[in-house]
Amino acid sequence: MSEENQKRLIALMIGLTTVCAGLFTWRAAQIGSTAAFDDRQSVGETIKVEQQDVDVAVEAVRQANQYNRYLAEYAAAAELDAEAADALAAGNDDEAQELSMAAASTRATASLRAATAGVFGIKVLNANLEDPGPEPKPFDLEKRLDELSSEQATNLLSPGELDPDVWADEANAIRVRVRDFSVWVLLLLGAVALFTAAELTVSSRVRIGASAAGLVVFVGAALGGVVQPWS
């Protein structure tokens, strides 16, 4: 092959390598914008998750305070029962009956108020609030927090299950791909430098060696950029 044709082929390789480097740069910028979107989604969902946690905590504290009131009213009902027992022992049947009715009414009112405040969750719908029983219902704050979180995640206005870590992981994965593209672009620029040196040299040996080295770098970088991070 004549020296002129060799230089034409080298010029063609310079053009192909430059186009490939530009294509990789465009692709890196394209997926980089996706990483920015994923970052915004991650931040937005993180804020929503924290807001939900705050709302759940505030609601749980409110219900705990209502439960304390419920216990206080049950304690008052227990005192009325004790007074009714004393009145019955003293032979005051009418007074004992009134005190017993007052105790039952106090428990019913306390149970209805607590249920209305959501203290016992949706399971209380199956309970008989008119006859709640002599003992107060239990209240587990940790369990109630879990129930409130579940209720909030499934209500009609809920944004659904939020997982900001998924978006953050996707953004980080994309940044790895962008970094890989940067590496391949640098290698392609190195190939351009080798081809340019081969085109400008007057030594046929240097021209062939630089061209071969540039071709190896070009093929390796082109294949690496397409196979690994392109998809």
Side-chain angles (χ1 to χ4, degrees), residues 78-229:
E79 292 180 3
L80 290 173
D81 280 335
E83 292 177 6
D86 292 340
L88 185 62
N92 299 325
D93 295 347
D94 292 341
E95 182 180 359
Q97 185 176 4
E98 290 179 1
L99 290 170
S100 294
M101 292 176 61
S105 176
T106 300
R107 291 191 184 92
T109 301
S111 297
L112 181 60
R113 181 183 294 110
T116 302
V119 174
F120 304 118
I122 59 176
K123 293 186 296 185
V124 77
L125 294 176
N126 296 324
N128 185 0
L129 298 179
E130 297 298 328
D131 186 16
E135 298 297 328
K137 297 179 181 296
F139 179 81
D140 187 330
L141 182 58
E142 292 297 327
K143 184 177 179 180
R144 193 69 191 106
L145 282 169
D146 292 340
E147 291 175 350
L148 288 171
S149 298
S150 178
E151 290 172 9
Q152 188 177 63
T154 56
N155 65 43
L156 293 177
L157 298 180
S158 171
E161 184 176 355
L162 300 176
D163 193 353
D165 290 339
V166 170
W167 293 100
D169 291 342
E170 289 183 0
N172 291 333
I174 289 175
R175 289 192 182 90
V176 171
R177 293 168 59 196
V178 171
R179 185 174 65 248
D180 290 343
F181 272 123
S182 299
V183 172
W184 301 126
V185 168
L186 288 176
L187 289 175
L188 289 172
L189 293 178
V192 170
L194 289 170
F195 287 135
T196 302
E199 185 179 26
L200 297 177
T201 186
V202 295
S203 172
S204 60
R205 181 177 299 178
V206 174
R207 183 181 303 112
I208 293 173
S211 298
L215 182 61
V216 170
V217 174
F218 166 71
V219 172
L223 290 177
V226 171
V227 172
Q228 292 185 12

